[in-house]
Structures are given as structure tokens and as C-alpha cells.
């Protein structure tokens, strides 16, 4: 996993777990959002459900012991999972041509799943808006100290910045955490669902609902004049 994301997670509240899925289940039963590691792989969870598995398979945690980290905001495990899983860059925009609020409205209305990253030509920090079935969650790392902001404050900061942002579409496979009796075949268990219980966009219609400006083919096309 990316070293910078590891450093960010290390600052979250942590506790140990054992007994694999059964032990994790007891911790996440209260609507836990965060991450868990067995020392090699990582699971990202939102509201007790798995939103991503990195550097391992889910069934590797069936009998594992390790550490869980409770995120300060549920936007972070969703965003980190999306970044680690990768995604398809769908469009790139300059904020003065297509304001972030305009893109946000269209992506939300279109039931988009993926994220916006505003970091190019921005000196004040890195700004993100993650979407699951159109539901948005914002996070920002501001300044050299990378002060974390989330929620409306993070979105307002992002919307006030000038720079270039990229829209990434991500195929997010969300599933319940298996219990101790469901360890076998955990990686095939459960249909993909959305963390917000809003249906994700698996029908290929997302592209029709994205911001309508023609995406730039090169970085230079998106530069301010």
C-alpha cells in the first residue's frame, strides 16, 4: 500500500484484534469505519462493511490477528480503498472552466461511484471528493503539515481552490464482513452493494451523467490561460 496512506492510517485510533473474522466482527459491529491489517494485507471498512482489500485476499483474514484503525471520518477508508484499487480517469478539468461545485452536482445526480482529486497546480494541499452511488464525502490534506479536514469544511475548501482536478471512476465491490462460519469462500461471498445502501452504477450509465464539458486530452489543454 502507498506509504503516505500508511502514515495517515497510523495516526488513527488503533486496537488489536485476533480470531479472524469473528474477532473483527465484534469490533465492527458498532458501525465501524476504518482499516484492518494482519501485517501484510489491508481491509478497508465503512459502516462495518468491506469496501476494499489491498495486498491480500479477504479470506486471508479468516483466522488472522493484527490491528484495526478507526478512521476519523468514513470518507477516508472509502477514498483510500478507491485509490488503492485504482480507477479509470474519466475527465480532467480546470476549475475556472468547470467549477468543482458544478461537477459535484452532476456526478451526484448521476449516481457516480469514484472520486475527484484536486491536486494539480494547487499549492495549498490535496483535495478529494469520493462518491458511492452519488453520495459524496469530502476530505482534504491542507498545507505542508497535511492538516486533515473532512465533511463540508473540506468540500468548501476544495471548491474555493484554483487548479486542475481529475475524475476517476472506480468499480467498488462492497460486501459484508464474513462471520466466523463464513470463512470459506469469503472472496466470493455477497453481491456488491453500496456503503450508503444506494445502488451503485453497474449498468454503464455513469458516463452519460458526468460533467458535460469535453475532457482535456492532454494536461496542457487544461492549463489556465
Amino acid at each position: 500500500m502507498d506509504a503516505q496512506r500508511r502514515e495517515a492510517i497510523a495516526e488513527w485510533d488503533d486496537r488489536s484484534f485476533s480470531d479472524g473474522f469473528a474477532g473483527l466482527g465484534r469490533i465492527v459491529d458498532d458501525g465501524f469505519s476504518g482499516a484492518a491489517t494482519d501485517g501484510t494485507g489491508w481491509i478497508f471498512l465503512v459502516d462495518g462493511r468491506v469496501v476494499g482489500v489491498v495486498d491480500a485476499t479477504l479470506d486471508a483474514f479468516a483466522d488472522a490477528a493484527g490491528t484495526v484503525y478507526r478512521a476519523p471520518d468514513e470518507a477516508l477508508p472509502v477514498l483510500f480503498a478507491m485509490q488503492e484499487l485504482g480507477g479509470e480517469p474519466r475527465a480532467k478539468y480546470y476549475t475556472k472552466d468547470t467549477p468543482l461545485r458544478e461537477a459535484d452536482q452532476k456526478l451526484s445526480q448521476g449516481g457516480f461511484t469514484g472520486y475527484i482529486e484536486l491536486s494539480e497546480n494547487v499549492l495549498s494541499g490535496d483535495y478529494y471528493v469520493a462518491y458511492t452511488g452519488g453520495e459524496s464525502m469530502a476530505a482534504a490534506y491542507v498545507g505542508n503539515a497535511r492538516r486533515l479536514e473532512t465533511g463540508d469544511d473540506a468540500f468548501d475548501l476544495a471548491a474555493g481552490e484554483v487548479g486542475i482536478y481529475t475524475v476517476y471512476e472506480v468499480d467498488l465491490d462492497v460486501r459484508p464482513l464474513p462471520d466466523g462460519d463464513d470463512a470459506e469462500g469469503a472472496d466470493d461471498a455477497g453481491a456488491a452493494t453500496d456503503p450508503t445502501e444506494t445502488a451503485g452504477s453497474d449498468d454503464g450509465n455513469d458516463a452519460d451523467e458526468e460533467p458535460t464539458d469535453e475532457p482535456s486530452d492532454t494536461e496542457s489543454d487544461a492549463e489556465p490561460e
Side-chain angles (χ1 to χ4, degrees):
M1 187 167 65
D2 176 80
Q4 193 170 67
R5 285 189 274 279
R6 284 179 181 268
E7 291 177 6
I9 293 171
E11 297 179 359
W12 302 352
D13 292 339
D14 65 276
R15 60 178 291 187
S16 61
F17 78 93
S18 59
D19 199 21
F21 290 141
L24 281 172
R26 290 189 289 270
I27 294 172
V28 308
D29 190 50
D30 65 347
F32 173 92
S33 294
T37 181
D38 63 354
T40 301
W42 291 82
I43 300 176
F44 291 101
L45 302 112
V46 172
D47 197 22
R49 284 175 287 179
V50 178
V51 296
V53 183
V54 178
D55 296 333
T57 58
L58 184 56
D59 60 7
F61 285 79
D63 299 306
T67 307
V68 294
Y69 298 86
R70 185 178 293 271
D73 190 279
E74 67 178 19
L76 298 176
V78 172
L79 175 63
F80 287 4
M82 288 182 174
Q83 290 176 314
E84 287 292 332
L85 292 170
E88 179 184 355
R90 296 298 299 270
K92 181 180 285 190
Y93 301 102
Y94 178 44
T95 55
K96 286 191 175 180
D97 295 332
T98 305
L100 186 67
R101 291 188 187 277
E102 179 181 325
D104 171 72
Q105 181 178 21
K106 292 179 179 179
L107 293 172
S108 295
Q109 290 175 347
F112 183 70
T113 296
Y115 68 98
I116 288 174
E117 178 178 352
L118 171 60
S119 59
E120 191 173 339
N121 285 13
V122 180
L123 299 178
S124 62
D126 299 326
Y127 302 86
Y128 304 92
V129 187
Y131 300 84
T132 57
E135 296 291 329
S136 64
M137 298 169 280
Y141 288 95
V142 183
N144 291 333
R146 292 183 61 80
R147 182 185 82 251
L148 175 64
E149 298 285 350
T150 59
D152 291 342
D153 290 341
F155 185 83
D156 289 343
L157 287 169
E161 284 295 332
V162 176
I164 297 169
Y165 62 93
T166 303
V167 179
Y168 294 90
E169 184 177 21
V170 180
D171 184 12
L172 196 66
D173 182 14
V174 183
R175 68 188 76 178
L177 180 73
D179 61 30
D181 296 329
D182 293 336
E184 186 174 352
D187 286 298
D188 299 321
T193 56
D194 191 279
T196 61
E197 304 229 354
T198 303
S201 48
D202 294 329
D203 57 6
N205 292 330
D206 282 341
D208 295 334
E209 301 295 343
E210 286 188 10
T212 56
D213 297 38
E214 186 69 24
S216 300
D217 293 329
T218 65
E219 179 177 313
S220 59
D221 291 338
E223 292 287 349
E225 296 181 356

